[in-house]
């Protein structure tokens, strides 16, 4: 396994390159993906937080530096954010390669409600692995896309608390939540 983070030296943010590599290496081991090569390209010129998978062989991730930034100490790296953002993306790759997500739309074709549901599912799994998660933040995010109803809350709980769902099961769960938007 090789983890590559670019740039190797940061000029606009005060990120520690070695810390970012260490977090991703640990994450790969905990996700059972230790044999995979990963490249993370950080755009340090923007404080925004977009992140996306650019390729899967090797796994290539593009991240705007705001996604990894510590909101309490601006322009510094927060390891929990590296683990959270990278973990969600790595779980999406792992899910797609499992065969249980063969019927999932391409990332670019996912609706916002579908993407939020998948991220809730991923965050719940990361939380059970010991990574800090902001459950209430994700519940609110889910409600904004699926409604402020008991059915939406039940769908959230099922996604958050379950480990081995397929895409068709996620689709069924979110259909019961009366998605909006």
């Amino acid at each position: 396994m090789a983890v590559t983070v670019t740039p190797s030296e940061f000029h606009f943010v005060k990120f520690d390159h070695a810390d970012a590599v260490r977090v991703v290496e640990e994450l790969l081991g905990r996700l059972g993906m230790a044999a995979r090569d990963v490249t993370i390209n950080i755009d340090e010129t923007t404080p925004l937080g977009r992140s996306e998978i650019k390729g899967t062989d090797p796994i290539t991730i593009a991240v705007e530096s705001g996604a990894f930034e510590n909101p309490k100490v601006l322009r510094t790296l927060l390891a929990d954010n590296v683990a959270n953002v990278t973990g969600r993306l790595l779980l999406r790759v792992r899910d797609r390669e499992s065969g249980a997500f063969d019927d999932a739309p391409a990332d670019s074709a996912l609706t916002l409600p579908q993407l939020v549901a998948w991220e809730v599912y991923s965050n719940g799994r990361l939380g059970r692995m010991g990574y800090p998660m902001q459950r209430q933040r994700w519940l609110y995010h889910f409600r904004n896309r699926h409604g402020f109803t008991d059915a939406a809350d039940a769908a959230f709980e099922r996604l958050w608390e379950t480990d081995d769902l397929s895409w068709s099961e996620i689709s069924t769960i979110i259909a019961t939540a009366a998605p909006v938007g």
Side-chain angles (χ1 to χ4, degrees):
M1 158 203 57
V3 173
T4 304
V5 173
T6 61
S8 59
E9 185 177 319
F10 295 95
H11 301 285
F12 296 105
V13 294
K14 302 171 193 167
F15 285 7
D16 184 312
H17 182 269
D19 281 349
V21 170
R22 178 190 50 76
V23 170
V24 176
E25 286 175 344
E26 177 188 312
L27 186 60
L28 285 167
R30 294 181 76 185
L31 292 175
M33 300 174 75
R36 300 296 297 269
D37 291 329
V38 176
T39 298
I40 299 179
N41 300 311
I42 301 172
D43 179 357
E44 66 173 320
T45 66
T46 177
L48 301 177
R50 184 180 175 129
S51 60
E52 63 182 320
I53 301 162
K54 293 291 197 174
T56 58
D57 191 22
I59 298 171
T60 304
I61 296 172
V63 179
E64 294 173 341
S65 62
F68 288 172
E69 187 175 278
N70 183 340
K72 294 182 180 179
V73 185
L74 298 179
R75 297 179 40 222
T76 63
L77 186 80
L78 183 61
D80 288 346
N81 285 352
V82 175
N84 184 277
V85 170
T86 307
R88 283 195 317 265
L89 296 172
L90 290 173
L91 281 170
R92 193 173 325 145
V93 169
R94 191 177 82 175
D95 288 344
R96 286 191 183 281
E97 292 175 349
S98 72
F101 284 72
D102 289 348
D103 53 342
D107 285 359
S108 61
L110 287 167
T111 66
L112 197 48
Q114 289 171 324
L115 179 60
V116 169
W118 202 341
E119 289 186 340
V120 164
Y121 174 54
S122 295
N123 279 324
R125 292 181 287 170
L126 289 168
R128 282 186 294 287
M129 292 174 61
Y131 290 100
M133 290 295 124
Q134 297 175 347
R135 185 186 178 285
Q136 286 305 114
R137 174 180 169 249
W138 284 99
L139 174 59
Y140 183 72
H141 197 37
F142 188 82
R143 286 173 171 168
N144 278 323
R145 296 296 165 209
H146 298 275
F148 287 78
T149 66
D150 290 343
D153 288 356
F156 173 88
E157 289 301 326
R158 178 118 189 262
L159 291 167
W160 189 266
E161 297 295 334
T162 308
D163 284 318
D164 296 316
L165 294 174
S166 66
W167 179 252
S168 64
E169 290 169 317
I170 289 175
S171 296
T172 300
I173 290 168
I174 62 177
T176 67
V180 295

